[in-house]
Amino acid sequence: MGGILCGVLQFGYALNPRVADKIVAGTQVGEYLELNRMWMDDVAPRNSESRAISYSIKYIKKACPSVAWIQSFADERCGALGVVYQAANFYYFGSHWTTFYELDGVTYHDMLLMAHKKGGQRGVYLRANLHRAVKHRFRQFRYLYFIKKQWLRRCKISPLIYPKPGKPLPHRRGKEFLIFP
């Protein structure tokens, strides 16, 4: 805005890119992206997040024609249920629990405890000071956007209704998963 950077979106692959096929059948590396990070400064106008996502998707359609779908997660740790993804017409596919550690005012994902070689200095620091860290468990809400709409039929699980503040989370009973028609 006015020549000042007010936000950023980072797209890439998931931590384990080959598991994409477990979500959307037949997905190969290069046919999906993950919106790994999104940040907008509070000075950005209302709805800037969903507008930035929309512009990004339009760019990806042209620049990366092999990409069929995008995955992202809303993080309960940040107080979010994914309203930005809901506004951007992503489908909601449930949530899972993730452990985070808070240490000296910094938050660390628990994967740093296991990623000895890939965890870098952050992982080394967390492992060395784990006895001082405060453990937290939060949900992460999975959202998918289908650039190629017909790929929705390949989903191995069906979308759920959007989660809303103050309401019970939509869920699947037991291990029942419905295939989207």
Side-chain angles (χ1 to χ4, degrees), residues 7-12 33-40 48-65 67 69-70 84-85 88 90 145 147:
V8 63
L9 283 74
Q10 173 188 304
F11 289 87
L33 286 173
E34 183 169 297
L35 174 50
N36 306 112
R37 299 282 182 272
M38 177 171 57
W39 171 83
M40 287 285 173
S48 290
E49 293 89 348
S50 54
R51 289 176 62 199
I53 290 171
S54 174
Y55 295 143
S56 297
I57 290 171
K58 287 174 185 170
Y59 174 79
I60 289 167
K61 280 181 185 179
K62 291 179 184 175
C64 309
V67 174
W69 57 279
I70 296 168
V84 169
Y85 301 120
F90 278 61
Y145 182 88
I147 293 173

Side-chain angles (χ1 to χ4, degrees), residues 92-161:
Y92 171 63
F93 283 89
S95 64
H96 65 272
W97 290 94
T98 302
T99 302
F100 292 90
Y101 292 91
E102 187 179 343
L103 177 63
D104 300 331
V106 177
T107 302
Y108 299 85
H109 193 283
D110 75 336
M111 73 177 173
L112 292 176
L113 296 176
M114 299 167 267
H116 293 284
K117 292 182 181 176
K118 295 181 183 177
Q121 291 303 308
R122 288 175 45 86
V124 169
Y125 184 75
L126 175 61
R127 288 189 297 276
N129 294 282
L130 191 58
H131 62 283
R132 297 188 306 110
V134 178
K135 184 177 180 178
H136 301 282
R137 283 181 37 94
F138 295 104
R139 289 171 295 189
Q140 291 188 308
F141 304 93
R142 181 191 307 265
Y143 287 89
L144 301 181
Y145 182 88
F146 291 90
I147 293 173
K148 296 179 180 177
K149 304 297 181 201
Q150 67 274 23
W151 280 56
L152 175 60
R153 295 174 191 258
R154 294 185 183 194
C155 277
K156 293 186 175 182
I157 55 176
S158 56
L160 298 169
I161 60 170

